[in-house]
Structures are given as C-alpha cells and as structure tokens.
Amino acid sequence: MRRVGIIFIWMFMSICVLLLVTLPVNLQTQLIAGATVLFIMMVLKTLNAGGIWRLIALAFGTAIVMRYVYWRTTSTLPPINQLENFIPGFLLYLAEMYSVMMLALSLFVVAMPLPHRPERPTPKGKLPSVDIFIPTYNEDIELLANTMAAAKAMDYPSDRMTVWILDDGGTVQKRNAEKIVEAHTAEKRFSDLTALCEALDVRYLTREKNAHAKAGNLNNGLEHSSGELIAVFDADHAPARDFLLETVGYFDEDEKLFLVQTPHFFLNPDPLERNLRTFEQMPSENEMFYGIIQRGLDKWNAAFFCGSAAVLRREALNVTGGFSGISITEDCETAIALHSRGWNSVYLDKPLIAGLQPATFASFIGQRSRWAQGMMQILRFRFPLFNGGLSLPQRLCYLSSTLFWLFPFPRAIFLVAPLFYLFFGLEIFTASGGEFLAYTLIYMIVNLMMQNYLYGAFRWPWISELYEYVQTIHLLPAVISVMLNPRKPTFKVTAKDERIDRSRLSELAAPFFVIFFVLLVGVGVTVYRIYSEPYKADVTLVVGAWNLLNLIFAGCALGVVSERGDKRPSRRVKVSRRCEFRIGEKWVPGTIDDVSVNGIRIQLLGNLTDELSVEMASDVRFKTAATGEMGDLPIQVRNVRKQAGETAVGCLFKPDDPSDHRLIADLIFANSSQWTKFQLDRRGNPGLIRGTIWFFGVAMFQTYRGFAYLVRQITGRNKAEWERT
C-alpha cells in the first residue's frame, strides 16, 4: 500500500511539473521567472548549501531547462516546407536535444555521488595471491624498469604476489617479421627485456602472435598465471607502495566483487595544460571523471574498468572467458560483460599510481580517437540500454559514458550554425531578440550554473567546451568512420614519455587557423548586416554574439595547438627527504627537494659552487621507504645555483644497473599521499563569473600566441624570439 502511495505522489508531482512547464505565459513573465530561478540558484551556491538544498537548486535549474525544451520544440522550428531553413534548423534542434539528454543523464549519475570511502578494509585471514600484469608493446625500456621496480616494491608479502611483463613488442611474429629492421628491433627488445626482468625478479612473458591487441595480451597472461586477483598497470603507470593494501581488502567484503578501480594520476600535463600553462593551477581534465563521475557511477554499481590502476577477480574473468576484445576499449567492454552477469564493482577515489599522458597534441588526438571509436563499438555491439543483464540505473550509466563520445556532432553544428544566418540569410531559429533573452540566454546561464553545481572544483567554466572543441575537428571523421565500419578500428598504443625539443605548431594545427579566419569573417559580416539591415538588428546581434563566442574558443584553441618547447616529459614532485651527496671522496649532507622521472634537485648546506661543475658524475645516498636501507644512486650534475646559505643542484639520473631503478621508483612512487596533496592544492571553484573572466583573458592571450607561432613558422624568426612567446 505504501508503495502505491509513493507512486501516486510521484505521478501527481510529475503532472504538476508538466503543467507548469507547458503553462502559456507572456515574455515578461518568462523573463521574471527565469531571473528569479537564477537568483535562487546563485544564493544557494553562495551559501555553499549541500545535501537537499543542492538537489533543490538542481531541481529549479531542471525546470528552466524543461521550459526551454518545450518552447524550443513548439515555437522555434522553421516551417517544414522551407527545406533550406528546416534541415539546418532541425539539425541544430537535434544538437540541442542531445545536450539536454546528456545533462539529464549527468544529473542522474552525479547529482549525489558517493562520498569518499572510509578507511581501507583489512583483509581477513590469509592475503589473496595477486598476479601483477604490466602489458607493453613499444614503450621505452627505462620507463618499464621504473614501473617494474615500483610494482616489486609494493608493501605486500613477496610470496603472495608475482609481477609479470606481458610483452607484445617481442612476440615470435615480430621477431620473425619479413622486414629485417622490424625483426632486429623485436629481437633486441626481447633480449633486453628478458635480462631486465631477470635482474628485477620479474616474470617475462610474450606470445606467438599479436592477436586481439591488449585484450589478447592480458588473456595470455591469465593462461600462464594462477593468482586469485589480477592487478593491471599500464607500462607508464607506476604504483605506490600501498596500492595492494588499499585495494585487496574489498574483495573479502563482497564475494561478487570483480573490480576495484582507482584513479589515474599523471605526473605530466596534457597538451592543453602544458601549452596554456594551467597544470599547477587548474584541475586536470581527467579529474572530473575520476573525482566526480566515477563516484557517481559507483553509487549505481556501474564504476567501470579503465584499463589500468585496477584489481580484478580471476574467478569473475573466467566467467566471461577473460578480457573482452570485440572493441578497442577492452576495459569498459569487460566491465559491461561482468556487470551484466551480476558482478559488482568498487571505485576507490584515491590516487595510488602515477603515470604519463600524451605530451603532443597529435598523440592526444590519437588517444581520444581510440577512446571514441571504442565507445562507438560498444554502443553498436553491446548497446547498454537493451542489455538485459544490467539494472536500469546501470544501463543509464553506461549509456551516459558511451553517448558522450558523440559530442563532435553537436559541437560541429554549434560551430557552423550562426554562419548559416550570417553568410546565407537562412532563418534556422525562429525567435526574436527578446525571446532569445528570456528563454535561450537564461537557459544557457542556468546550464552553466548546473555544471558548476555538479563539477565545481573539478572543472572550471568553459574548459569542457574548449576540450570538446579542440577534439571535434579530428574526432568527427574518426567517429563517422567507425559508424560506417564498426570493425575497422584497430588498437594503437598511445605515445608516452615524449619530449618536445623546440616550440612549434602542431602538425594538426592548420584546420584551427582556417576555422578562426572563417569565424572572423563572420564578425565582419555581423557588423555589415547591422548597418545594412537595421530592422533585423536584434536577431543579428544575438547571432553575432554566438559567432563571437565561437571565435573566442577558436582563438584559445590556437594556443592549444601551439606546442611549447619542453624537454622534460614530466613535472617535478616535492618529496623533502634527507640525503648525502658525493663530491669526490667526501659525502655532504643535504635534502632531496623534488624529483621527476628523469632527475632530481638537491639542496646542500653552504656554498659549494666552487666544488661542483656541470656534467660532473656523482651519487646521492638516501634511506629507502621500502626497506629502510641506504642506497646509492648514480647521477650527473646539470646545473648549480647558489641560494641563501645553500647550494641547489639539479641532476639527471644515470642508472647503470637495473637495481638503480628500485631507488628511482622509491623516490618518485613510494608515497601516494604526495599525489593527493598535489590534486587538492590545485582544486578550487572560481565561480561562474570569475571563471568566465579568467577564461576570456586566457583566450585573448592564446590567440596572440597562436598567431605569433604562425608568423614565426612562416618567416623563420630566430629561436630566441620564438622561445619568448
């Protein structure tokens, strides 16, 4: 009886909301209602009201969105008998409805995400055996050595874990390739990795053929191992010492748990962060996914496998025949297969690995193209909404995750839509300037505020739009390609540990300059139309403002594709650890100030500049976190600076023995709390107004910088002038 009553109340409230949304009102009333809702949402946001008040604010925003959808559907579409107006107008309408649908799915997923999990569960009885898989294809040997050393140093009984290198770069197929250079490279890799694994006490495993890419490589590892749990780390994802202790206990709490996923933390900025110089001050793009969305998915038992930094149960993988390989995103596909069979997942929101992400814009686009194509394959072959094994919330969660990658279509339409009116006079949106103000502008501001409510400190205003814009141009053909031929895409390894020796324009930059110039012409046409057609000035101003906003994004994107020269593949991490530094035959006390994957900075007591020289070989001695023993790490001095009472020495690592990588891994990866601190230090919600002002300022400077790079590339200015920009 109570359930019937609840259903009746929901039906009654839904009818009331529907009546309010469709209530006919004049323009003034609509404007007042919209402004009132904006004021209420701003007050609640200013008061930092959470819990039920957060939901109330989102409910007010949803009402405005629904009101806009009703008006947009019933009052703004061009007549169907005017095909030249109706076709582009209807495409714009579909793009807007896609955005509304994704907002609705986002509200369902992250309106009230799970809070951070409490202290880690303590494993009961004997610790489970764990096989640690590090799949690799063509990654640098030294990069792999650091990851292997970090995995071996994890705080877990050595007889209960086995580290495996799963090498797809040294397969029999590759070593016997027809091309002699390819065969020689594979043979040398096979020999070098075998020796390195032996030195670090790691199991080396390759296979006959490179079948089914990463999924096939992982499944080959499953066939040759026997651990109860499987931990997976990408070649550049080095775990902290507490990774296993933080994760394996969850499997004791739930016998149907197949996955514990942790965030991917990166030591280096992506191309947007590096070229706009926001890495230290603004949350990374992936923090919105790992900080909010995965917690929201976890609420509905839909947190999915992300390919690395995760632990899986072998028993569950055996049910599905191992890792799924129909799509090129084997991670999400595997999670869908296991969720649909009644298995559960857990998301632990604590960075326990540190890795590298693509440094160049071209590699970034290559990675995102693979993700987009893989998600389209999942949408095609495992359509979540009709997957009977998933619960309804799980279906909606996976639908949100896969449909997101259709964003290039609406983003492209939003880009060209104002040009239909400015260049060709097409009326694809039948509304006056007053109606645009009362409905569309209010809706856009409410939409931005709702995003700020949902993602606040994890995603600053306009940054999502910028990321989508810079990807759209090159992802659109990739998505169309996989739609036409779902089985065509092949797995391509993302380049890591890249160095950009000099500042330059990306090889993918040309379309961005073309689009900028077209939009700039649109600004000129706007001015012309205002003077030549004053009776349409209100509509022209609205469309011109829309085009101007697109121009701001296009200008900022010019800075994104203007690659800053930076030879360091990763940023420095603060460590503050006591050490001794060798100068000749004596050891001088000092403090390790910070480290990166390639080097170290040490503060020495007193003025020692006369005793040090660039390129000087030396050693640094420190106590390891893993064993508490002292270790000597070979280094080379790169720069020396005198400071107040101290000498700062910058050094490169010069490992001459595989065991040296254990010391490097101990310095960089042992302590996971340093990564959490770095993330928290750059999180902060600037708010909609301050964030918008900041973004527009960045966009103007990046427009200038993009053209400075273009001029330099055309005219060949000298290197010193180039680096200053």
Side-chain angles (χ1 to χ4, degrees):
M1 189 66 183
R2 182 185 177 188
R3 186 176 181 182
V4 174
I6 292 173
I7 294 174
F8 176 78
I9 292 173
W10 273 107
M11 290 178 62
F12 176 75
M13 294 299 295
S14 299
I15 292 171
C16 290
V17 169
L18 189 62
L19 289 173
L20 285 172
V21 166
T22 59
L23 187 69
V25 296
N26 59 37
L27 209 56
Q28 184 179 7
T29 304
Q30 170 66 25
L31 186 60
I32 293 172
T36 302
V37 168
L38 281 177
F39 177 75
I40 293 172
M41 292 182 71
M42 283 190 288
V43 169
L44 291 175
K45 186 63 178 175
T46 303
L47 296 174
N48 200 25
I52 189 65
W53 292 106
R54 169 186 164 97
L55 294 180
I56 290 173
L58 292 173
F60 273 114
T62 302
I64 291 294
V65 172
M66 293 174 66
R67 179 75 184 171
Y68 173 77
V69 169
Y70 174 72
W71 170 76
R72 184 76 174 84
T73 304
T74 59
S75 306
T76 65
L77 290 173
I80 195 170
N81 60 347
Q82 299 177 8
L83 290 180
E84 72 280 7
N85 291 326
F86 179 78
I87 292 175
F90 190 65
L91 289 175
L92 176 60
Y93 171 78
L94 290 178
E96 290 188 66
M97 293 307 105
Y98 165 85
S99 299
V100 170
M101 177 185 67
M102 293 309 299
L103 175 63
L105 289 172
S106 295
L107 285 170
F108 175 78
V109 173
V110 302
M112 293 293 284
L114 280 183
H116 295 280
R117 292 185 178 275
E119 291 297 316
R120 64 191 183 200
T122 303
K124 301 170 185 175
K126 190 176 183 181
L127 289 171
S129 57
V130 183
D131 284 311
I132 298 151
F133 289 171
I134 305 173
T136 176
Y137 181 71
N138 59 1
E139 291 83 3
D140 183 75
I141 299 294
E142 287 202 1
L143 178 71
L144 277 169
N146 289 341
T147 303
M148 293 158 61
K152 285 293 294 183
M154 284 192 290
D155 189 5
Y156 204 76
S158 59
D159 62 331
R160 304 299 293 165
M161 72 172 187
T162 305
V163 180
W164 297 78
I165 279 289
L166 309 180
D167 181 27
D168 253 9
T171 58
V172 175
Q173 176 186 357
K174 282 189 167 295
R175 301 203 305 272
N176 294 328
E178 293 294 332
K179 295 181 179 179
I180 188 64
V181 174
E182 182 181 334
H184 176 73
T185 301
E187 190 65 51
K188 186 176 186 307
R189 179 183 177 84
F190 173 79
S191 175
D192 290 347
L193 262 183
T194 301
L196 178 63
C197 287
E198 185 177 350
L200 292 176
D201 191 24
V202 170
R203 299 272 190 94
Y204 176 85
L205 181 66
T206 189
R207 51 184 177 145
E208 287 288 324
K209 296 182 179 181
N210 300 77
H212 303 295
K214 184 178 177 180
N217 196 9
L218 291 170
N219 287 332
N220 185 56
L222 285 175
E223 292 176 9
H224 289 82
S225 59
S226 59
E228 300 165 66
L229 303 177
I230 308 294
V232 181
F233 302 114
D234 280 348
D236 60 296
H237 285 189
R241 293 195 68 243
D242 56 348
F243 181 90
L244 290 178
L245 292 182
E246 290 280 357
T247 53
V248 299
Y250 290 100
F251 290 91
D252 276 342
E253 294 188 336
D254 182 2
E255 292 182 354
K256 293 292 289 181
L257 181 68
F258 82 90
L259 169 72
V260 175
Q261 178 67 55
T262 69
H264 293 183
F265 171 79
F266 296 110
L267 293 169
N268 67 317
D270 67 30
L272 188 146
E273 292 171 316
R274 191 190 70 256
N275 295 327
L276 270 54
R277 289 182 171 168
T278 62
F279 186 60
E280 275 84 14
Q281 69 180 98
M282 183 183 75
S284 287
E285 183 207 18
N286 72 322
E287 283 188 51
M288 185 175 88
F289 176 73
Y290 287 110
I292 290 290
I293 295 176
Q294 275 281 49
R295 284 168 46 208
L297 295 172
D298 197 23
K299 178 180 180 178
W300 304 109
N301 189 27
F304 60 83
F305 178 39
C306 298
S308 179
V311 184
L312 301 99
R313 191 189 296 269
R314 180 184 294 272
E315 179 187 350
L317 290 170
N318 289 339
V319 171
T320 56
F323 294 89
S324 301
I326 297 176
S327 74
I328 56 175
T329 46
E330 81 297 326
D331 40 18
C332 183
E333 185 188 343
T334 299
I336 289 180
L338 287 166
H339 273 136
S340 65
R341 285 167 171 77
W343 291 86
N344 304 320
S345 61
V346 158
Y347 175 65
L348 175 61
D349 186 18
K350 181 178 181 180
L352 296 170
I353 64 98
L356 299 174
Q357 54 187 335
T360 66
F361 184 71
S363 296
F364 173 80
I365 290 298
Q367 180 192 62
R368 299 311 165 94
S369 296
R370 177 170 64 83
W371 292 356
Q373 290 185 322
M375 285 302 194
M376 290 301 99
Q377 288 178 312
I378 289 175
L379 204 57
R380 167 65 175 81
F381 296 122
R382 296 184 182 273
F383 190 58
L385 196 59
F386 298 151
N387 191 321
L390 298 174
S391 66
L392 180 59
Q394 286 176 324
R395 297 184 201 190
L396 294 176
C397 288
Y398 276 113
L399 199 63
S400 174
S401 299
T402 52
L403 287 179
F404 165 79
W405 290 99
L406 289 172
F407 74 79
F409 291 100
R411 189 58 57 190
I413 292 171
F414 293 149
L415 183 66
V416 302
L419 301 179
F420 283 114
Y421 174 79
L422 294 174
F423 289 170
F424 309 113
L426 299 181
E427 297 183 3
I428 65 175
F429 193 125
T430 57
S432 66
E435 288 174 321
F436 183 89
L437 178 66
Y439 285 94
T440 307
L441 185 60
I442 294 290
Y443 157 73
M444 291 175 62
I445 297 174
V446 164
N447 201 326
L448 287 168
M449 291 190 67
M450 292 176 75
Q451 289 184 43
N452 199 252
Y453 262 97
L454 294 175
Y455 305 114
F458 296 89
R459 178 59 50 85
W460 290 8
W462 306 106
I463 296 300
S464 286
E465 288 78 6
L466 179 61
Y467 268 103
E468 289 184 8
Y469 172 75
V470 299
Q471 295 177 77
T472 289
I473 296 170
H474 296 286
L475 258 61
L476 187 59
V479 172
I480 292 174
S481 171
V482 74
M483 284 181 167
L484 296 176
N485 188 353
R487 299 190 184 277
K488 180 181 178 181
T490 56
F491 190 97
K492 296 179 181 178
V493 177
T494 304
K496 304 288 178 64
D497 200 21
E498 298 171 299
R499 289 172 174 81
I500 303 172
D501 293 329
R502 61 179 182 84
S503 297
R504 59 178 176 82
L505 284 177
S506 168
E507 57 268 42
L508 304 180
F512 293 93
F513 284 94
V514 172
I515 291 172
F516 182 87
F517 280 116
V518 171
L519 296 177
L520 190 61
V521 172
V523 173
V525 174
T526 301
V527 176
Y528 169 77
R529 278 185 170 273
I530 289 173
Y531 280 96
S532 64
E533 300 173 339
Y535 54 93
K536 292 183 179 179
D538 58 341
V539 175
T540 305
L541 281 170
V542 166
V543 178
W546 181 0
N547 181 69
L548 182 62
L549 181 62
N550 286 339
L551 184 68
I552 291 171
F553 283 115
C556 197
L558 299 184
V560 176
V561 297
S562 300
E563 307 270 27
R564 294 183 187 272
D566 188 355
K567 297 181 181 181
R568 295 176 302 169
S570 69
R571 289 298 190 263
R572 297 185 178 97
V573 179
K574 291 285 185 182
V575 292
S576 189
R577 192 187 293 195
R578 290 291 298 273
C579 69
E580 292 180 336
F581 183 88
R582 183 177 61 81
I583 302 178
E585 298 299 322
K586 70 175 180 178
W587 291 87
V588 179
T591 300
I592 299 173
D593 190 44
D594 57 46
V595 296
S596 71
V597 294
N598 291 310
I600 186 173
R601 185 169 65 181
I602 303 170
Q603 300 287 353
L604 301 176
L605 187 63
N607 181 10
L608 302 173
T609 53
D610 293 338
E611 302 180 52
L612 299 169
S613 61
V614 176
E615 305 298 330
M616 184 181 85
S618 183
D619 296 281
V620 60
R621 176 179 292 169
F622 58 91
K623 183 182 292 186
T624 63
T627 64
E629 299 175 354
M630 300 298 288
D632 293 355
L633 178 61
I635 54 177
Q636 183 183 60
V637 176
R638 292 305 302 270
N639 57 74
V640 180
R641 289 201 316 271
K642 181 182 177 182
Q643 297 178 343
E646 293 181 322
T647 302
V649 187
C651 306
L652 277 179
F653 295 131
K654 289 293 180 179
D656 53 19
D657 185 87
S659 61
D660 292 334
H661 290 283
R662 294 193 179 98
L663 299 176
I664 296 174
D666 190 88
L667 279 174
I668 305 172
F669 307 114
N671 181 15
S672 63
S673 62
Q674 63 190 350
W675 307 330
T676 301
K677 182 180 184 304
F678 178 77
Q679 286 185 329
L680 294 177
D681 286 346
R682 65 181 179 179
R683 283 181 190 168
N685 188 353
L688 191 55
I689 296 175
R690 191 156 56 94
T692 298
I693 294 172
W694 170 82
F695 176 78
F696 285 179
V698 169
M700 285 189 288
F701 174 72
Q702 295 304 325
T703 303
Y704 154 74
R705 197 172 70 85
F707 277 101
Y709 274 50
L710 179 64
V711 169
R712 197 292 184 169
Q713 185 152 311
I714 294 173
T715 62
R717 282 164 47 201
N718 67 63
K719 184 178 179 182
E721 291 179 281
W722 174 253
E723 295 296 343
R724 282 199 294 272
T725 63

